[in-house]
Amino acid sequence: MPDTARSGFLTNFVLENPWPLAVVLVIVAATIFRLAVHRDDRRLLIPAATVFIVAGVALVIGLLVETSGEAAADRTRAFVAAASDGRIDEMLVSLDPDATLHIGRIESPGLPIEELRRMIDALGSRHRIEQNTITLLNSVGTGSNTALVELACLTRTTSSLGTVPTRWLLEWDRGSGDWQVRSITAISIAGRTPTGRQVLP
């Protein structure tokens, strides 16, 4: 994931993963409550109740609000599932008309969408996926309608001698309609950075 792609505190600990903050606040509220009972001081009940309510509000907001990073993560899982099932047409429909393929780093010059389509088409023929496991999926919203997803998989295909680790970076853009892949970066295949236009061996 590029160093510039980082979410803020509110996004990380309230909108996308509210549980740790909520648990900490509940513990704080319980501690204040016990202190109020131990000291027989009813004045402490108000801050205890306030902290408990804040924990509940943070949890509800986090569960109800879907960030761009969460949406892109869900779309990535669906994209990978389509690849595993050989639903190539569904994958191709998910591509932005101007989608690009990058080698090694997202900053590398992008290859045209034809190269991306050729790589995806291979998943329906000589590189048909037999087994796939997602080992890493990190997402971060880069705007209200854009997100980056770092993806790692262990994949066995009809052309591989065994299970091959791969790492990818998918750039998603919702634009005015549904989420679509704006770019795919092949970071590593079998522990090595691809070279040239041939991403899949």
Side-chain angles (χ1 to χ4, degrees), residues 7-51:
S7 299
F9 178 85
L10 179 64
T11 299
N12 278 335
F13 297 105
V14 177
L15 299 180
E16 292 187 347
N17 186 20
W19 289 102
L21 178 61
V23 169
V24 169
L25 290 177
V26 167
I27 292 173
V28 170
T31 302
I32 297 174
F33 178 80
R34 289 188 63 185
L35 190 61
V37 172
H38 180 70
R39 294 182 177 180
D40 195 22
D41 187 350
R42 293 186 177 183
R43 293 174 298 176
L44 294 176
L45 295 178
I46 294 177
T50 301
V51 174

Side-chain angles (χ1 to χ4, degrees), residues 6-7 11 15-16 65-73 75 140-148 172-180:
R6 291 291 181 268
S7 299
T11 299
L15 299 180
E16 292 187 347
V65 175
E66 182 183 57
T67 66
S68 57
E70 289 174 318
R75 293 295 295 124
V140 59
T142 53
S144 58
N145 293 314
T146 57
L148 285 174
W172 290 90
D173 189 336
R174 180 165 54 186
S176 58
D178 193 17
W179 287 94
Q180 289 189 307

Side-chain angles (χ1 to χ4, degrees), residues 26-201:
V26 167
I27 292 173
V28 170
T31 302
I32 297 174
F33 178 80
R34 289 188 63 185
L35 190 61
V37 172
H38 180 70
R39 294 182 177 180
D40 195 22
D41 187 350
R42 293 186 177 183
R43 293 174 298 176
L44 294 176
L45 295 178
I46 294 177
T50 301
V51 174
F52 184 79
I53 291 172
V54 170
V57 170
L59 187 60
V60 169
I61 291 175
L63 294 177
L64 292 180
V65 175
E66 182 183 57
T67 66
S68 57
E70 289 174 318
D74 289 341
R75 293 295 295 124
T76 299
R77 292 186 187 94
F79 193 74
V80 172
S84 299
D85 296 340
R87 292 179 272 122
I88 305 306
D89 290 342
E90 186 175 322
M91 296 180 69
L92 295 175
V93 169
S94 297
L95 298 180
D96 182 274
D98 297 318
T100 51
L101 173 64
H102 302 255
I103 307 299
R105 298 165 46 108
I106 192 172
E107 297 84 2
S108 302
L111 301 175
I113 191 171
E114 288 74 23
E115 296 297 329
L116 198 49
R117 286 175 176 155
R118 187 175 296 114
M119 181 186 72
I120 292 174
D121 281 336
L123 298 178
S125 54
R126 66 182 184 279
H127 294 305
R128 179 75 171 86
I129 294 176
E130 295 180 335
Q131 183 180 355
N132 184 73
T133 302
I134 294 176
T135 57
L136 172 73
L137 198 154
N138 288 331
S139 63
V140 59
T142 53
S144 58
N145 293 314
T146 57
L148 285 174
V149 177
E150 183 181 13
L151 171 72
C153 296
L154 285 175
T155 310
R156 187 177 71 238
T157 69
T158 54
S159 60
S160 64
L161 298 177
T163 302
V164 178
T166 61
R167 188 176 291 265
W168 311 84
L169 188 64
L170 284 75
E171 181 183 17
W172 290 90
D173 189 336
R174 180 165 54 186
S176 58
D178 193 17
W179 287 94
Q180 289 189 307
V181 177
R182 187 70 183 82
S183 72
I184 295 180
T185 301
I187 299 175
S188 66
I189 308 293
R192 297 182 179 180
T193 301
T195 57
R197 293 172 175 258
Q198 189 70 18
V199 174
L200 300 178

